[in-house]
Amino acid sequence: MNTAVRAAVTGRRVWLCDLDGTLVDSGPAHEAAFRQAIAELAPAALASFRYAAHAGASTAEVAARLVADPDVAAELARRKQLRYREQVAAGRVAVFPGAHRLLGALARAGLAAYLVTSGSRGSVERVLAASGLGRHFAGVLTADDVASAKPDPEFYVHACRLWGVEAAEAVAVEDSAHGVASATGAGLVTLHVHTAAPAPGAVAVRDLRELVTVVEQAVEQEVSAGE
């Protein structure tokens, strides 16, 4: 068992989970959607576009970085979301191995799971429906619900306030530096998944299956201690 991960989650009764890149492998679909939208509206920006440089940011924020004209940026964001939803409908967003098992293990352990994502509500709802992940969450917060965006800590501060969660009782699960900065800035213990080199302030987790092992073994030990 990863002792650092076990120590990080011990006593944490609430799990605040990111979606894109954390629970679902949506990066390729997001990049394809951005490239399609950029080619349609701002082709000059296409050659220098690197999706990895924007991971964790909202679509609106990325669009504003790419084009100076706010009207064009708004249309770029709208069109990218449409193209992404086409990708979702075509089945091109896969669930990471261990995602369902992790969320199921949390539920069996009596732990609450909430979704805290920079995705738009329309896109997020489509992914949750297509993947079957939606049934696991007690609440969902998207970029459409807040004025701030990751890496602003206010994103997670708002989530905690919305659901009456104290930072001391929660753990955040993120995959990007943007997300980690938002969560740690809000005072949350943060797990950085799918990495061996975590962003500052986070605990590295190889993959979701490692988290499943930690949660299931912790539950087994609690049951044994209570017998």
Side-chain angles (χ1 to χ4, degrees), residues 1-12 168 170-171 189-191 203 211 214 218:
M1 178 187 291
N2 186 320
T3 56
V5 177
R6 173 65 186 276
V9 304
T10 297
R12 309 283 167 171
V171 59
V189 166
T190 305
L191 305 178
V203 177
L211 272 184
V214 170

Side-chain angles (χ1 to χ4, degrees), residues 190-205:
T190 305
L191 305 178
H192 191 165
V193 297
H194 310 305
T195 186
V203 177
V205 182

Side-chain angles (χ1 to χ4, degrees), residues 11 17 31-32 42 44 47-48 53 55 67 94 103 144 175 184 201 205 226-227:
C17 301
E31 181 168 6
S48 61
V67 294
L103 294 169
D144 292 342
D175 75 298
T184 57
V205 182
E227 291 178 348

Side-chain angles (χ1 to χ4, degrees), residues 8 74 143 152 176 179 182 186 207 215 226:
D152 189 335
S176 70
S182 179
D207 55 34
V215 172

Side-chain angles (χ1 to χ4, degrees), residues 101-218:
R101 189 175 167 190
L102 171 64
L103 294 169
L106 294 177
R108 290 190 297 275
L111 307 178
Y114 294 90
L115 191 68
V116 184
T117 171
S118 292
S120 66
R121 181 159 289 275
S123 295
V124 169
E125 288 177 347
R126 285 167 172 79
V127 172
L128 292 180
S131 65
L133 290 170
R135 61 190 173 87
H136 295 293
F137 296 108
V140 175
L141 183 72
T142 74
D144 292 342
D145 305 317
V146 295
S148 58
K150 299 174 186 179
D152 189 335
E154 181 58 29
F155 204 98
Y156 270 98
V157 169
H158 182 89
C160 291
R161 186 185 308 121
L162 175 67
W163 297 314
V165 175
E166 296 292 334
E169 65 179 339
V171 59
V173 186
E174 282 281 354
D175 75 298
S176 70
H178 273 74
V180 169
S182 179
T184 57
L188 295 166
V189 166
T190 305
L191 305 178
H192 191 165
V193 297
H194 310 305
T195 186
V203 177
V205 182
R206 182 181 63 253
D207 55 34
L208 296 180
R209 287 169 293 195
E210 181 179 20
L211 272 184
V212 171
T213 299
V214 170
V215 172
E216 291 183 340
Q217 290 185 3

Side-chain angles (χ1 to χ4, degrees), residues 44-94:
L46 192 57
S48 61
F49 177 72
R50 300 290 182 272
Y51 175 71
H54 305 286
S58 68
T59 295
E61 182 180 355
V62 176
R65 294 174 187 170
L66 295 174
V67 294
D69 187 316
D71 292 332
V72 176
E75 176 60 18
L76 177 61
R78 186 191 72 82
R79 206 168 295 192
K80 180 269 173 180
Q81 289 171 347
L82 289 175
R83 299 292 176 260
Y84 177 69
R85 292 167 190 177
E86 292 170 358
Q87 296 275 328
V88 175
R92 299 193 180 107
V93 176

